[in-house]
Amino acid sequence: METEEKSLNFIEHIIENDLAEGKHENRVHTRFPPEPNGYLHIGHAKSICLNGGLAQKYKGKFNLRFDDTNPETEEVEYVNSIRNDVKWLGFQWDNEFCASDYFDQLYQYAIQLIEKGLAYVDDSSPEEIAVQKGTPTMAGTGNDFRNRSIAENLALFTEMKEGKHADGSKVLRAKIDLASPNMHMRDPLLYRIKRATHHRTGDTWCIYPMYDFAHGQSDSIENITHSICTLEFIPHRPLYEWGIEQLGIFPSKQYEFARLNMTYAIMSKRKLLQLVTEGHVSSWDDPRMPTISGMRRRGYTPESIRDFCERIGIAKRENIIDFSLLEFCVREHLNKIAQRRMVVTDPVKLIITNYTQSEEMLSSENNPEDTEGGVRQVPFSNELWIERDDFMEEPTKKYFRLGPDFMVRLKSAYIIKCDRFEKDAAGKVQTIYASYFANSKSGADTSGLHVKGTLHWVSAKHAVPVVLNEYDRLFSVEDVANAEGDFKDYINPNSLHTITTAWGEPALLNDAADMRFQFVRKGYFYQDTTSTKDKLVYNRTVTLKDAWAKEQKK
Ligand code: ATP
Ligand code: MG
């Protein structure tokens, strides 16, 4: 695959054409412009990989810009989380800026437009403005404010800035075309009055620029060559270009691609925030969240997320990507790097009656996929925990695990044969008694015995208690974003299953907190942020196989 020449995506085509024509002095300069009003999600990851990736590929530059023009919803906590998430994904930005760095400049730009007769102060209410804008099939009607003189507009706009007018009592609008078929060109709002403390500029400003009068201008100030956004901004593009043209500033260009939508997930920060504030999940980094921080806590690797973004490519048309594809990428990577450990989740006692030593250490491979993964020592003794469902009193056909008189191999240890078992008063199997074959040791097996099943186990007296969080989809319908009614009605009530009965091998106690594990036959796991040496807690990152897809096909 790697040697194969990959075909260019449509943005790469544009860039290569631009470079061939010597546009922008052969520079490529992209940016990722999040609004710091929430944590980043997998959709943002796609945008970061695209913008950051293009800068890398074309040896250009990549800016991180906080699009902070809505002081009511923006917070420093979000700013910090965004920086952290972009870095963790593996992208380093060349410059960090904020739209608020440009408030003075943007204000000057607004004055320039007023002076050119291209902007006016409008005292109408939002409702009046909406009515006067007309409809897509009917031209808008102007109002008298549209005919204000340049001098009056300059005076009023200055007063707006100086706080002489109430919130919402006036706006600054561009004077473009009330009959334009594009509603965004019908005298769009440029500035509004809003007394709100901004996380960076405090109370310096009581007027704030609108998205359409901040975004393109910020791109231009930063000399961004290719400003990539999602499809819903196509109708904004004429306005983006109008602003740049009228102000005569650096001609950044806007290009649009389809946003990432995924099955069983939502990608709106507003809705994700609701899940957090209403307690449907524990936090923004709850491992069930499609946020970068949630995926990190769950154990997804940056490599697997980047691989996923690469595989889905970029499109010009909306689509919905199967969540299983992301899980596939995670599994692919973890299979290569995860260390194998043994954990028994629903334990039943296994006593090996003819094992007379007190204990011994057995070598077990850390990762059969990695020749340099090495081995670890696992303590073995005559009292083990094995999985309850690895034993059947009356085995059915094709059951190759343990049952009366059945033989199995204990992973990295010996072949055993089940001799008998005991039940408790309630009829539940309590203890299984077996004998082992001393000459069947893994790696030095001279027994000549052949068995079909291999079971994982832990030595009872050496085992450490572990808590496991297993996750299922947070939503129970595929296309949550478009499902009828409230998206919260589709929350899967069984998305978290916590196992508190599990025993793990003692190596876990000394393993680093950021190690990736495959708990043999159980899935891939990663230590939760709440985990301590006294209480080890692991999140199931992903199952070993795509059980979900199988379930769907039934
Ligand atoms: P949300 O609706 O979740 O709040 P947003 O688009 O308002 O998303 P921004 O902070 O403005 O969030 O997004 C920053 C950048 O990330 C933008 O360039 C935007 O186009 C991109 N982006 C956001 N969501 C997606 C997505 N689902 N797929 C691809 N890119 C996205
Ligand atoms: Mg946005």
Side-chain angles (χ1 to χ4, degrees):
M1 276 300 275
E2 271 149 30
T3 51
E4 210 172 283
E5 186 76 23
K6 275 201 66 183
S7 62
L8 300 181
N9 65 45
F10 77 93
I11 294 183
E12 289 168 336
H13 269 295
I14 293 169
I15 290 180
E16 299 209 350
N17 274 338
D18 288 350
L19 291 174
E21 287 172 15
K23 258 197 205 155
H24 311 302
E25 303 96 36
N26 291 311
R27 280 185 316 113
V28 172
H29 200 155
T30 58
R31 86 288 173 264
F32 172 62
E35 185 178 351
N37 61 352
Y39 282 64
L40 299 181
H41 51 61
I42 181 76
H44 294 112
K46 179 172 176 181
S47 174
I48 296 164
C49 290
L50 175 60
N51 284 293
L54 288 170
Q56 281 172 359
K57 177 166 180 182
Y58 295 103
K59 303 200 170 28
K61 292 228 180 327
F62 172 55
N63 289 1
L64 173 60
R65 183 196 318 137
F66 293 102
D67 191 358
D68 54 351
T69 56
N70 286 315
E72 306 107 294
T73 53
E74 295 160 5
E75 287 175 31
V76 177
E77 178 196 343
Y78 299 139
V79 171
N80 293 334
S81 76
I82 290 169
R83 284 194 193 112
N84 198 23
D85 288 350
V86 178
K87 252 187 233 159
W88 178 79
L89 252 193
F91 291 91
Q92 185 53 57
W93 51 99
D94 296 283
N95 308 290
E96 179 179 315
F97 294 116
C98 294
S100 57
D101 293 335
Y102 313 133
F103 281 171
D104 276 311
Q105 178 68 72
L106 294 169
Y107 178 74
Q108 294 305 325
Y109 285 160
I111 290 189
Q112 283 176 36
L113 290 185
I114 297 174
E115 284 171 342
K116 288 178 83 175
L118 293 172
Y120 61 99
V121 174
D122 193 333
D123 301 0
S124 311
S125 67
E127 295 76 22
E128 285 164 343
I129 290 178
V131 170
Q132 291 163 6
K133 269 200 167 184
T135 64
T137 51
M138 205 174 66
T141 54
N143 59 31
D144 289 343
F145 302 117
R146 201 170 196 262
N147 303 320
R148 274 178 164 151
S149 69
I150 289 173
E152 192 183 359
N153 282 320
L154 281 175
L156 286 171
F157 187 54
T158 311
E159 286 177 17
M160 280 168 63
K161 178 188 183 241
E162 287 170 350
K164 300 217 169 106
H165 298 284
D167 283 11
S169 63
K170 288 182 170 32
V171 289
L172 183 73
R173 293 176 72 179
K175 194 171 183 174
I176 308 180
D177 179 5
L178 285 169
S180 170
N182 181 340
M183 297 297 283
H184 293 278
M185 298 299 274
R186 295 191 186 178
D187 292 11
L189 269 52
L190 303 181
Y191 265 92
R192 70 214 156 103
I193 309 174
K194 181 84 215 172
R195 284 166 179 80
T197 305
H198 187 282
H199 73 273
R200 291 186 73 241
T201 58
D203 295 318
T204 307
W205 295 88
C206 66
I207 55 170
Y208 290 97
M210 304 300 290
Y211 171 89
D212 284 322
F213 196 64
H215 202 89
Q217 287 68 11
S218 302
D219 283 343
S220 179
I221 292 168
E222 294 173 18
N223 290 319
I224 299 300
T225 55
H226 300 82
S227 172
I228 303 163
C229 60
T230 43
L231 293 181
E232 67 273 23
F233 289 95
I234 289 177
H236 296 249
R237 195 194 319 141
L239 186 51
Y240 182 103
E241 290 172 352
W242 181 89
I244 284 177
E245 198 183 316
Q246 298 306 328
L247 294 165
I249 52 183
F250 180 81
S252 301
K253 278 257 179 212
Q254 175 183 306
Y255 303 95
E256 308 87 7
F257 71 105
R259 61 192 296 119
L260 170 63
N261 301 303
M262 290 184 77
T263 57
Y264 305 100
I266 45 170
M267 298 281 162
S268 145
K269 279 183 277 183
R270 188 178 52 80
K271 290 181 181 168
L272 292 173
L273 176 64
Q274 267 184 62
L275 293 178
V276 177
T277 54
E278 295 174 18
H280 300 290
V281 295
S282 61
S283 52
W284 279 100
D285 70 348
D286 186 300
R288 290 166 293 180
M289 291 280 270
T291 51
I292 296 182
S293 51
M295 295 188 294
R296 172 170 62 234
R297 182 168 166 190
R298 183 158 170 166
Y300 285 21
T301 58
E303 291 88 342
S304 56
I305 298 175
R306 293 199 303 262
D307 177 32
F308 169 73
C309 292
E310 181 72 24
R311 281 174 197 259
I312 57 177
I314 61 165
K316 283 193 198 175
R317 215 171 289 162
E318 291 283 346
N319 58 0
I320 181 160
I321 304 283
D322 203 322
F323 209 90
S324 308
L325 179 61
L326 176 56
E327 294 185 329
F328 169 84
C329 296
V330 173
R331 237 178 243 122
E332 282 258 303
H333 187 223
L334 290 181
N335 185 40
K336 289 193 202 112
I337 64 160
Q339 298 250 318
R340 275 50 171 177
R341 296 287 182 268
M342 292 196 280
V343 170
V344 173
T345 55
D346 183 12
V348 63
K349 189 62 76 64
L350 174 80
I351 294 182
I352 303 175
T353 48
N354 64 340
Y355 188 82
T356 48
Q357 283 168 257
S358 76
E359 61 187 65
E360 71 183 297
M361 298 303 279
L362 298 173
S363 294
S364 191
E365 250 176 333
N366 282 326
N367 186 341
E369 302 289 318
D370 177 3
T371 46
E372 281 159 29
V375 293
R376 68 189 186 287
Q377 300 301 310
V378 188
F380 183 84
S381 67
N382 67 341
E383 266 195 41
L384 311 176
W385 294 117
I386 63 166
E387 294 290 348
R388 182 165 291 282
D389 71 4
D390 278 341
F391 179 81
M392 255 182 130
E393 249 182 279
E394 291 169 29
T396 50
K397 237 184 166 181
K398 295 209 175 155
Y399 187 82
F400 298 123
R401 289 174 271 168
L402 211 51
D405 295 325
F406 274 37
M407 289 200 292
V408 291
R409 172 171 294 286
L410 296 175
K411 181 158 179 64
S412 305
Y414 300 94
I415 292 176
I416 58 160
K417 177 167 169 284
C418 169
D419 298 319
R420 62 192 179 88
F421 61 94
E422 277 169 6
K423 292 200 210 177
D424 64 12
K428 209 172 156 190
V429 175
Q430 198 171 32
T431 314
I432 300 162
Y433 295 89
S435 32
Y436 88 118
F437 298 90
N439 57 356
S440 67
K441 192 166 169 174
S442 271
D445 183 358
T446 56
S447 70
L449 297 170
H450 290 288
V451 293
K452 282 198 170 141
T454 301
L455 308 188
H456 64 280
W457 51 273
V458 290
S459 165
K461 70 177 169 197
H462 301 95
V464 291
V466 298
V467 174
L468 305 180
N469 293 319
E470 294 187 341
Y471 301 100
D472 195 356
R473 309 277 191 237
L474 185 52
F475 293 97
S476 52
V477 290
E478 216 174 77
D479 193 358
V480 199
N482 294 311
E484 217 170 285
D486 187 348
F487 76 100
K488 285 172 291 175
D489 295 342
Y490 300 99
I491 292 176
N492 172 6
N494 303 313
S495 58
L496 169 62
H497 176 221
T498 299
I499 297 171
T500 54
T501 51
W503 293 105
E505 63 174 273
L508 289 171
L509 265 186
N510 298 315
D511 286 331
D514 60 353
M515 262 172 80
R516 320 276 167 180
F517 297 113
Q518 182 191 108
F519 291 164
V520 176
R521 298 171 68 217
K522 292 282 153 191
Y524 293 99
F525 284 82
Y526 187 62
Q527 238 184 93
D528 187 55
T529 46
T530 62
S531 182
T532 62
K533 291 265 182 236
D534 295 326
K535 190 183 177 202
L536 291 169
V537 181
Y538 298 88
N539 296 322
R540 186 172 69 193
T541 309
V542 66
T543 52
L544 289 178
K545 290 206 180 84
D546 191 354
W548 184 266
K550 262 191 228 153
E551 195 61 34
Q552 300 283 296
K553 282 194 197 105
K554 268 186 193 164

